[in-house]
Amino acid sequence: MKLGIILLGALLSAAQPAAAQDWSGTKPLRFETGSAAGGMTDIVPRELSKYLAESVGVPVVVENRPGAGGNIAAAIVTKAEPDGHTLLVTGSNQAVNPTLLPNPGFDYERDLVPVSMAVSVKLLLVAAPAFPAKNITDVIKIAKQKPKSVSVAMSVIGTPGHLAAEMLAQYGDIDLTFVPYGGITEAIPDLIANRVDLAVGSMASLLPQVRSGALKALAVTSPPRSPLAPDIPTSAEAGLPAMQIHGWICIMGTGGTPAPIIARLDKEIAKALALPEVRDAFAKQGVEIFYMNSQQLGEFLHSEAARFSSLLEHSRVKGASQ
């Protein structure tokens, strides 16, 4: 039975308003992403779109809407017809923005609905070649001996790299010097030249520098060890069990979208993520499948939002929680 027939029947039986469009039409499925082309929240929907276009029977379009911590893209989705044709691709900002940007012009919980968690990106804590630490325990010891003597490259506020640096400072009870960068790749030359001591970023960005010997890997910041680098210990193994964080990317829909449509979208995304070719394509970019259904994703977002809110309220970066 075709998807359009299934969804149309579900909508009629649920007596949903006529605004919920029949998928058998020509209206495309649109992914709105808050990143520029080439970012992970751009790569994920483009990879999924190759398979979703066939399974849902309509064209799939990816639209890049960078800016405002992802809230430009989010606002478009909140204002879309609740018919499942407009989806938001977002990351940790979905759990951070309620604290950092509490008045975006929409309600995060009312106006957006979870669809699926898609992928995870492990983060790597690295050190400059001359920095005398082999693990997190060494970092904490050095930083306690001379407060503010240890510098850490900081990504944009609210990104996983920034949150990880905050965890290192807060949970390690050390006073670090945060050095801001527009993105972790901008910090790599300064790390290699020993102008900054530490950084946390995606394995895709930092592992090549570790493999070449230009930087030292201290820990992967989430369990278990990464299959991409099984020789690198986790943060728990390296001396700071509380430092648990990874990047992730999920799919959200417009608030009020009928449950049968959310369920069908979730099912199709799950099927695409289960394909070996999709898994392998992501693996080549340091990305792992991290699927959750709509309910699981909703629970996860609540948990992460609470955790990050507490972290940012005690931020050691001036203005980070404003």
Side-chain angles (χ1 to χ4, degrees):
M1 186 177 292
K2 292 185 178 180
L3 176 58
I5 297 174
I6 294 173
L7 288 179
L8 183 57
L11 293 173
L12 289 173
S13 64
Q16 295 293 340
Q21 299 293 322
D22 177 5
W23 284 76
S24 63
T26 59
K27 186 177 180 180
L29 173 64
R30 296 186 180 275
F31 281 115
E32 302 290 342
T33 170
S35 78
M40 284 314 305
T41 53
D42 173 68
I43 292 171
V44 168
R46 291 188 189 280
E47 190 63 38
L48 291 177
S49 68
K50 300 174 186 177
Y51 306 94
L52 291 178
E54 181 177 353
S55 65
V56 300
V58 296
V60 180
V61 178
V62 179
E63 298 183 328
N64 301 93
R65 313 280 189 176
N71 274 347
I72 293 176
I76 291 172
V77 176
T78 65
K79 293 177 176 64
E81 288 292 331
D83 57 13
H85 284 78
T86 306
L87 300 174
L88 174 66
V89 187
T90 183
S92 61
N93 49 298
Q94 188 63 30
V96 172
N97 282 355
T99 297
L100 291 180
L101 303 169
N103 300 302
F106 58 85
D107 185 287
Y108 291 95
E109 292 194 22
R110 182 194 64 211
D111 299 330
L112 292 169
V113 59
V115 177
S116 305
M117 175 67 83
V119 301
S120 170
V121 181
K122 284 196 177 338
L123 303 182
L124 191 60
L125 171 64
V126 299
F131 187 67
K134 296 181 179 179
N135 51 45
I136 297 177
T137 300
D138 290 345
V139 172
I140 294 173
K141 182 178 179 180
I142 294 167
K144 282 185 178 294
Q145 288 174 343
K146 192 176 181 181
K148 288 192 173 294
S149 65
V150 177
S151 58
V152 57
M154 190 191 79
S155 300
V156 175
I157 290 174
T159 59
H162 163 241
L163 297 171
E166 287 285 357
M167 288 180 180
L168 177 60
Q170 291 186 33
Y171 302 153
D173 193 25
I174 52 179
D175 200 355
L176 300 173
T177 295
F178 286 79
V179 182
Y181 291 87
I184 208 61
T185 55
E186 294 181 9
I188 290 176
D190 285 347
L191 283 161
I192 293 173
N194 296 297
R195 289 189 287 266
V196 64
D197 299 316
L198 305 171
V200 186
S202 71
M203 295 196 71
S205 298
L206 297 176
L207 190 57
Q209 306 300 328
V210 171
R211 292 290 183 242
S212 71
L215 297 175
K216 298 189 298 185
L218 302 185
V220 175
T221 65
S222 62
R225 292 193 182 198
S226 170
L228 300 176
D231 54 317
I232 300 176
T234 67
S235 49
E237 294 170 327
L240 193 59
M243 189 179 178
Q244 301 290 338
I245 187 170
H246 58 104
W248 42 265
I249 296 170
C250 68
I251 313 296
M252 306 289 289
T254 304
T257 300
I261 292 181
I262 295 296
R264 187 58 190 235
L265 286 166
D266 178 30
K267 180 180 178 180
E268 296 300 338
I269 291 169
K271 285 167 59 178
L273 291 171
L275 294 171
E277 55 266 43
V278 173
R279 180 195 62 223
D280 293 343
F282 283 142
K284 289 177 182 177
Q285 301 179 72
V287 179
E288 302 173 24
I289 302 301
F290 186 54
Y291 170 73
M292 294 181 189
N293 63 31
S294 178
Q295 180 179 344
Q296 292 167 331
L297 173 57
E299 294 170 353
F300 176 83
L301 289 174
H302 277 288
S303 174
E304 290 293 88
R307 188 165 73 109
F308 294 152
S309 176
S310 176
L311 185 74
L312 290 167
E313 284 174 3
H314 299 89
S315 174
R316 303 199 179 190
V317 178
K318 184 177 180 181
S321 59
Q322 295 179 353

